[in-house]
């Protein structure tokens, strides 16, 4: 993944200093969320802001769970992100394998269409999508946010790049000589080799889906929200209690941060891998 | 769901001929093997056509009709009227201008900082994995979470940033009501979330540049800065073009940050930071004019196409003059 290529330059103290300051800037808002979520609203609106965590964290978390149905929202987000991740990983591995290793008429054109449409923001189709959802009576229901996200052009491209390198042609040929069907080859040869790529794509997809905002806000109501939709309604009260808002934010961010703490290295590697073009 | 159905129903149990790369396509009865690839790509393309391509094209059709949110079944032909109404609306032009300024305010510093950070991360460093992971953490937050936190940091009366500014004697800034300050605030959220991500993409590009290039540049007496300018930047050009295009597209459809910055779809009291994405949402889901919202969507789409082509043209031109 990351080659152990020796970097051309040795970093000096200045490099550490700049990176250190940047790291502080990147991490501080997380720390501050924790601080604000563990204080009271009046402490937050004092003349001198608080800089260390206080004792009110659990009280505020409880309030947030009550006010914005964050419990339901967390469960909904888990369902949606899980289903979407499974769909994207499976459909991308299938198509990515075909694009990487199989020859068929129209392959170049189909691949060009796939890559080309990566540039089209899905937002722009939101209105017809909304009309379809209303017509299918799916408004405010989870399938409304699951169905449109089950496939991803980026995922197909990512798995293709991965499989071109990871899957030797000889393996597939050996399978064919042994008389395995296409499906069988996919199941017993491609899938095991594809697993590391699928894992990275799965993490990226899970995070992106968990954090998705525009379409869930349009398709779901605050009665049956995902976490992001719930956060929106939490922030829009007439006089929102800031410490409760921050507690909700913490709840919505924590699951992804946990994934990140465990798998940060792999996620970094995955993004860098997906970034190397052509 | 379509995904769970077997991908290649046509694939029989018959042995297939190995098809080494470059082999001539065989004609004959082995249709099973020849259809299998289509089976593999079918789940993707079926769903993609239904939920990706069809809505985009259908948006154009909707934009030519009067469609209201409450009665979205009923569509009355309007021709280009949605578009002409749009171009007569000062709030549309306001949103277009804001999208542009916020886009520049967020994209330019973001990419420049990412470039610098990537350069530093490319040094031999202790704890470089730690720096990389820390840098990517904002990417792991959502628009909603990041915006709520920053909205508080940027608070006028009790915000941390104004507290710092007041303590150093600069005085408080109204980060919500003032036009430039509020646009800066929204841009800061975008920049915070995406700088590390772009830095990693640049880093990946930098690692693909052969080390010998640096060595020979150093032997020719090039300083570090000259190496950066004449080895790193040219080597990164495709990656830079890629990030510029992607960030431009992202900036064009900015939505969550301005929506949650103060919590209304107007984008501030005097629409001072309402973007096109937010304007579209307001037309569709606050004013119930789905047809007009579709027109905004198509204007955004055309804008993105123009910007992407412009980027590509600039990149191609620079390539030619450099070589």
């Amino acid at each position: 993944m990351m080659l152990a290529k020796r970097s051309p330059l040795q970093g000096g103290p200045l490099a550490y200093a700049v990176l250190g300051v940047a790291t502080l800037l990147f991490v501080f808002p997380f720390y501050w969320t924790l601080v604000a979520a563990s204080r009271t609203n009046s402490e937050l609106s004092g003349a001198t802001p608080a800089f260390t965590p206080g004792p009110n964290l659990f009280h505020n978390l409880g309030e947030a769970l009550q006010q914005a149905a964050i419990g339901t929202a967390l469960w909904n987000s888990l369902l949606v992100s899980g289903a979407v991740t499974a769909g994207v990983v499976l459909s991308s591995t299938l198509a990515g394998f075909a694009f990487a290793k199989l020859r068929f008429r129209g392959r170049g054109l189909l691949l060009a269409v796939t890559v080309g449409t990566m540039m089209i923001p899905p937002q722009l189709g939101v209105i017809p999508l909304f009309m379809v959802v209303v017509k299918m009576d799916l408004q405010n229901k989870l399938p409304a946010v699951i169905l449109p996200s089950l496939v991803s052009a980026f995922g197909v491209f990512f798995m293709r790049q991965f499989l071109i390198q990871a899957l030797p042609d000889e393996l597939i040929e050996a399978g064919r000589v042994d008389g395995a069907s296409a499906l069988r080859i996919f199941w017993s040869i491609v899938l095991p080799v594809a697993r590391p790529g699928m894992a990275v794509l799965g993490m990226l997809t899970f995070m992106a889906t968990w954090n998705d905002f525009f379409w869930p806000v349009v398709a779901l109501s605050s009665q049956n929200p995902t976490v992001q939709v719930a956060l929106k309604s939490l922030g829009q009260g007439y006089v929102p209690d800031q410490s409760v808002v921050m507690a909700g934010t913490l709840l919505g961010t924590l699951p992804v941060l946990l994934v990140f703490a465990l798998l940060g290295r792999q996620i970094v590697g995955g993004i860098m891998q997906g970034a190397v073009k052509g | 769901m379509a995904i769970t159905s077997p991908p290649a129903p046509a694939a029989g149990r018959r042995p297939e001929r190995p098809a080494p790369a470059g082999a001539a396509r065989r004609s004959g009865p082995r249709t099973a093997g020849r259809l299998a690839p289509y089976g593999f790509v079918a789940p993707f393309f079926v769903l993609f056509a239904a939920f990706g391509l069809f809505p985009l094209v259908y948006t154009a059709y909707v934009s030519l009709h009067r469609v209201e949110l409450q009665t979205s079944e009923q569509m009355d032909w309007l021709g280009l009227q949605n578009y002409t109404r749009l171009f007569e609306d000062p709030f549309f032009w306001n949103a277009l201008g804001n999208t542009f300024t916020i886009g520049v305010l967020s994209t330019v510093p973001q990419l420049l900082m990412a470039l610098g950070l990537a350069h530093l991360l490319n040094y031999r460093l202790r704890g470089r994995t730690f720096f990389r992971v820390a840098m990517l953490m904002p990417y792991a937050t959502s628009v909603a979470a990041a915006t709520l936190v920053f909205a508080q940091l940027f608070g006028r009366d009790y915000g941390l940033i104004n507290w710092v500014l007041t303590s150093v004697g600069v005085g408080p800034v109204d980060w919500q009501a003032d036009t430039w300050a509020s646009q800066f605030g929204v841009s800061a959220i975008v920049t915070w979330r995406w700088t590390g991500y772009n830095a990693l993409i640049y880093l990946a590009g930098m690692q693909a540049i052969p080390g010998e290039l640096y060595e020979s540049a150093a032997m020719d007496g090039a300083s570090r800065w000259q190496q950066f300018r004449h080895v790193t930047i040219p080597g990164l050009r495709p990656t830079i073009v890629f990030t510029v295009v992607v960030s431009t597209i992202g900036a064009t459809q900015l939505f969550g940050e301005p929506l949650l910055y103060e919590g209304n779809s107007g984008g501030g009291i005097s629409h001072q930071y309402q973007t096109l994405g937010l304007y579209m949402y307001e037309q569709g889901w606050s004013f119930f004019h789905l047809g007009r919202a579709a027109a905004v969507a198509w204007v955004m789409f055309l804008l993105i196409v123009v910007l992407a082509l412009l980027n590509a043209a600039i990149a191609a031109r620079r390539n030619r003059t450099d070589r």
Side-chain angles (χ1 to χ4, degrees):
Chain A
M1 197 174 287
M2 260 176 264
L3 293 178
K5 189 165 61 76
R6 280 169 68 83
S7 305
L9 298 167
Q10 175 72 49
L14 188 64
Y16 285 102
V18 174
L19 285 174
V21 170
T23 301
L24 272 182
L25 287 176
F26 286 125
V27 174
F28 180 75
F30 292 102
Y31 172 73
W32 199 78
T33 307
L34 179 69
V35 171
S38 59
R39 295 272 171 178
T40 63
N41 206 29
S42 54
E43 282 175 307
L44 288 182
S45 45
T48 307
F51 283 103
T52 50
N56 273 329
L57 182 61
F58 291 101
H59 173 260
N60 290 334
L61 290 177
E63 281 289 307
L65 283 169
Q66 248 181 3
Q67 279 183 24
I70 297 247
T72 317
L74 284 167
W75 176 242
N76 282 347
S77 280
L78 197 66
L79 283 180
V80 169
S81 306
V84 167
T85 303
V88 165
V89 169
L90 188 62
S91 62
S92 301
T93 311
L94 284 168
F97 163 59
F99 280 129
K101 296 291 170 177
L102 301 180
R103 299 173 52 79
F104 53 98
R105 196 182 281 271
R107 180 174 85 160
L109 179 69
L110 287 178
L111 185 63
V113 169
T114 308
V115 174
T117 47
M118 268 165 69
M119 293 284 162
I120 302 176
Q123 268 194 18
L124 302 187
V126 149
I127 289 143
L129 212 50
F130 181 76
M131 292 161 71
V132 167
V133 161
V134 169
K135 197 160 195 162
M136 290 168 75
D137 203 20
L138 288 176
Q139 210 187 347
N140 296 331
K141 297 183 184 137
L142 296 188
V145 283
I146 296 175
L147 279 172
S149 305
L150 280 177
V151 296
S152 133
F154 167 78
V156 172
F157 183 72
F158 183 90
M159 286 314 294
R160 172 182 175 267
Q161 297 303 89
F162 182 83
L163 285 172
I164 283 179
Q165 287 179 353
L167 184 66
D169 290 341
E170 293 78 25
L171 267 185
I172 306 172
E173 278 166 37
R176 285 198 173 129
V177 170
D178 287 348
S181 68
L183 205 54
R184 171 91 210 201
I185 288 178
F186 180 77
W187 184 257
S188 7
I189 299 176
V190 179
L191 270 187
V193 173
R195 206 166 289 153
M198 292 166 80
V200 170
L201 177 62
M203 288 182 309
L204 294 178
T205 307
F206 190 91
M207 279 169 52
T209 314
W210 184 276
N211 289 335
D212 201 10
F213 187 68
F214 187 91
W215 174 241
V217 160
V218 169
L220 300 178
S221 69
S222 52
Q223 269 73 51
N224 190 30
T226 59
V227 168
Q228 312 307 331
V229 179
L231 286 184
K232 173 185 174 249
S233 57
L234 200 57
Q236 279 182 332
Y238 277 107
V239 189
D241 184 333
Q242 291 297 342
S243 58
V244 175
V245 173
M246 286 301 106
T249 308
L250 193 65
L251 278 176
T253 317
L254 219 48
V256 182
L257 277 186
L258 283 180
V259 173
F260 209 72
L262 293 173
L263 303 166
R265 273 178 91 108
Q266 281 81 347
I267 295 173
V268 166
I271 283 181
M272 288 179 63
Q273 201 178 31
V276 185
K277 305 268 293 174
Chain B
M1 262 165 265
I3 280 290
T4 49
S5 63
R13 302 281 140 180
R14 264 174 297 169
E16 284 168 57
R17 198 182 87 97
R25 204 177 279 109
R26 264 187 42 150
S27 58
R30 297 178 195 279
T31 43
R34 287 206 297 155
L35 286 179
Y38 300 105
F40 285 125
V41 296
F44 170 75
F45 277 103
V46 168
L47 282 169
F48 184 61
F51 293 110
L53 288 182
F54 162 74
L56 183 72
V57 176
Y58 198 66
T59 302
Y61 181 75
V62 173
S63 76
L64 302 175
H65 292 78
R66 183 196 314 277
V67 191
E68 300 295 300
L69 185 73
Q70 306 92 329
T71 54
S72 64
E73 306 273 298
Q74 189 195 338
M75 294 173 62
D76 305 321
W77 173 257
L78 278 186
L80 290 175
Q81 212 175 306
N82 277 329
Y83 290 91
T84 48
R85 286 283 293 275
L86 204 61
F87 297 141
E88 285 162 9
D89 184 358
F91 290 122
F92 166 76
W93 295 106
N94 171 59
L96 184 67
N98 290 345
T99 305
F100 178 76
T101 46
I102 295 176
V104 172
L105 276 176
S106 58
T107 309
V108 173
Q110 178 197 137
L111 293 182
L112 287 177
M113 287 193 296
L115 199 56
L117 288 173
H119 180 69
L120 293 179
L121 286 171
N122 199 24
Y123 285 168
R124 252 177 295 148
L125 292 168
R126 272 169 202 283
R128 51 190 222 167
T129 307
F130 166 77
F131 286 128
R132 287 175 190 178
V133 172
M135 217 143 273
L136 198 61
M137 269 175 67
Y139 167 82
T141 60
S142 63
V143 173
T147 307
L148 291 178
V149 176
F150 271 81
Q152 243 199 310
L153 289 171
F154 277 120
R156 188 189 64 187
D157 296 324
Y158 309 112
L160 197 60
I161 292 173
N162 270 348
W163 179 80
V164 172
L165 288 180
T166 311
S167 355
V168 299
V170 178
V173 175
D174 195 339
W175 297 105
Q176 254 99 37
D178 181 77
T179 303
W180 280 105
S182 63
Q183 294 199 359
F184 176 87
V186 171
S187 306
I189 306 168
V190 183
T191 306
W192 180 74
R193 279 188 74 222
W194 292 100
T195 298
Y197 173 86
N198 282 306
L200 287 183
I201 290 190
Y202 286 145
L203 181 59
M206 284 178 187
Q207 293 190 335
I209 300 174
E212 298 87 63
L213 285 180
Y214 290 98
E215 280 162 30
S216 61
M219 275 199 292
D220 290 344
S223 68
R224 279 191 175 190
W225 171 246
Q226 282 169 325
Q227 290 176 23
F228 181 74
R229 266 218 59 185
H230 297 292
V231 180
T232 308
I233 297 291
L236 270 188
R237 181 145 298 147
T239 317
I240 293 177
V241 172
F242 171 76
T243 54
V244 169
V245 172
V246 171
S247 318
T248 310
I249 293 174
T252 311
Q253 30 159 3
L254 220 54
F255 167 73
E257 292 89 345
L259 174 68
L260 291 177
Y261 192 59
E262 244 182 324
N264 63 61
S265 55
I269 302 163
S270 47
H271 305 270
Q272 69 271 26
Y273 54 88
Q274 185 177 44
T275 56
L276 277 180
L278 200 50
Y279 177 77
M280 168 182 144
Y281 179 76
E282 191 184 39
Q283 289 293 330
W285 283 273
S286 301
F287 302 157
F288 312 134
H289 304 315
L290 284 183
R292 220 176 291 165
V296 182
W298 253 76
V299 170
M300 282 167 70
F301 176 57
L302 293 179
L303 197 66
I304 286 170
V305 171
V306 168
L307 287 171
L309 288 178
L310 207 64
N311 275 317
I314 292 171
R317 186 141 172 221
R318 291 205 57 164
N319 259 346
R320 224 176 303 132
T321 50
D322 278 5
R323 299 276 143 86

